[in-house]
Every structure is written in C-alpha cells, then in structure tokens.
Amino acid sequence: MTGLPDVPGAFDRHAAAYDRLVGANPGYHADLRRAARAFALPAGGAGARLLDLGCGTGASTAALLAAAPYAQITGLDASAGMLARARAKPWPATVRFVRGLADDPPVAGPFDGVFAAYLVRNLADPDVALSAVRALLRPGGVLVVHDYALRDGPVARLVWHAVCWGVIIPAGRLATGDARLYRHLWRSALDFDSPQGFADRLRRAGLTGVRTRTARGWQRGIVHTFGAEVPS
C-alpha cells in the first residue's frame, strides 16, 4: 500500500534518531497523553491489564503509564531496534516489552484495554490486526487508536503535504541520511482511511460505541483518536 514493504526493518534502521525527531514535533508527547486519556482506558488497580500495540521506543507506553499508573502494561512492537530503545528507558516493574506482530500478537488475553498509536496505517491488513485485538480484549474492553486519518476535503491534505515536504522529510533526511521512512509516513497517511472510513472499519470489526476526536494545532483534521469497545 505504501511502497515500503519492510516497515519493521525501516524502523530498526531509524530507531536511533526516532525520539529526537518526534520530540521536535511541538506537543507530540502531550498529544499522546491526551489520546491515552481520551476514551477511558482502565486506570484500574494492579490487576488491570493494558496492551500498547506498536509501542515503538516507548513514547506511547509512557503516555499509557501516565493515564493508567497502576495497570500492568505490555508494550509490543515488531521492530527490534525500537524495542531496544524502549527497554533502555527507566520503567516500573509493571511495564514489560515483547517483540511481535500486531496481526498475530504473541501475548495472551484478556486485556482490559489496548492502545495503538501511529500503528494501524502501517499494517498490510488493518482488518486482520483489529480482529486479533478484538480477540485479546475482554467483553467491555476498550480499544483506543491514535493515528493519521485525514479529514475529507482539500485543506487537511494541503497542510499535510506542506508539513511533510517542508519539515518532516527534510528533517528525516538530515538526521539519518535516508528519507524513505519519512516519505512512507507522508504517503501512508494519504493512503489511509478518512476518520469516517476508519470508524466504519472499527464497526465492521465488531466493535461498538465508536467515537472520534481530532488533535489540536496544525494536526487538526489530520491526526485523530478513536475509541471503541468489545460488546459486553
């Protein structure tokens, strides 16, 4: 779909620069924290189990931990390089990391909640992954997806083109010497669902109570957070 067939391998090669580049995006970490709090992922006691699907270097895991400080959190990612960066950071004993694919996760449910940030549009078949997530969640369990989903119409696309070709792609090339992953980011957002399209995809996966909100600032209409539940 996106012209970058080995997405985990690309993230392996760019892991060293990843935190520095996303940190240059104003509000990136605050936006992740807002997304993790958006739709009532269980904060719970020590028994609550949460899965950070596509955890990368742990930025989304940190956001999930801030939202649910007493939960048992598993971060899962397909990229060994990104996971090495995540594991090198300080974490409480309630956080662990596992390598695996989102469409065939090597973890056992049930989970009370799943958080997936900037992941789903990178998957070859999002519907397979959503089916796997649904199977891991308990009845009433919550899925929160935070990702690029460009609003229909020209404005969001024009802003996205301008930001990618004016900032993201040049910065990625400067930091790593290779712009392919950042061109993939540009194209993957254009190729992915609109907010309504992804909400419909969640419903087709058998999830209910689907709701959506957009990010703030320049990402308004470009980045969205989606919440849904497994029927009780």
Side-chain angles (χ1 to χ4, degrees), residues 41-69:
L41 279 167
R49 299 185 69 220
L50 302 180
L51 177 63
D52 182 16
L53 197 62
C55 64
T57 63
S60 54
T61 316
L64 192 53
L65 182 62

Side-chain angles (χ1 to χ4, degrees), residues 14-83:
H14 291 262
Y18 188 82
D19 282 333
R20 185 168 73 254
L21 287 168
V22 299
N25 178 352
Y28 179 87
H29 294 287
D31 204 39
L32 278 175
R33 290 191 294 270
R34 280 192 293 270
R37 296 193 304 264
F39 297 121
L41 279 167
R49 299 185 69 220
L50 302 180
L51 177 63
D52 182 16
L53 197 62
C55 64
T57 63
S60 54
T61 316
L64 192 53
L65 182 62
Y70 304 110
Q72 300 286 325
I73 298 173
T74 299
L76 185 144
D77 203 277
S79 166
M82 300 290 270
L83 281 175

Side-chain angles (χ1 to χ4, degrees), residues 175-188:
T176 67
D178 182 357
R180 284 177 294 176
L181 180 61
Y182 308 98
R183 289 197 299 267
H184 160 76
L185 168 63
W186 163 67
R187 175 53 61 186
S188 66

Side-chain angles (χ1 to χ4, degrees), residues 79-100:
S79 166
M82 300 290 270
L83 281 175
R85 293 275 164 176
R87 289 180 175 126
K89 297 173 181 177
W91 301 100
T94 52
V95 176
R96 71 181 184 119
F97 294 96
V98 177
R99 188 180 180 192

Side-chain angles (χ1 to χ4, degrees), residues 67-148:
Y70 304 110
Q72 300 286 325
I73 298 173
T74 299
L76 185 144
D77 203 277
S79 166
M82 300 290 270
L83 281 175
R85 293 275 164 176
R87 289 180 175 126
K89 297 173 181 177
W91 301 100
T94 52
V95 176
R96 71 181 184 119
F97 294 96
V98 177
R99 188 180 180 192
L101 298 173
D103 54 7
D104 188 19
V107 291
F111 287 92
D112 299 290
V114 174
F115 186 45
Y118 302 114
L119 168 76
V120 179
R121 75 178 195 291
N122 287 315
L123 301 175
D125 191 337
D127 294 326
V128 171
L130 290 174
S131 178
V133 167
R134 189 186 186 285
L136 285 174
L137 281 164
R138 64 165 174 78
V142 178
L143 169 64
V144 174
V145 175
H146 183 69
D147 215 328
Y148 295 97

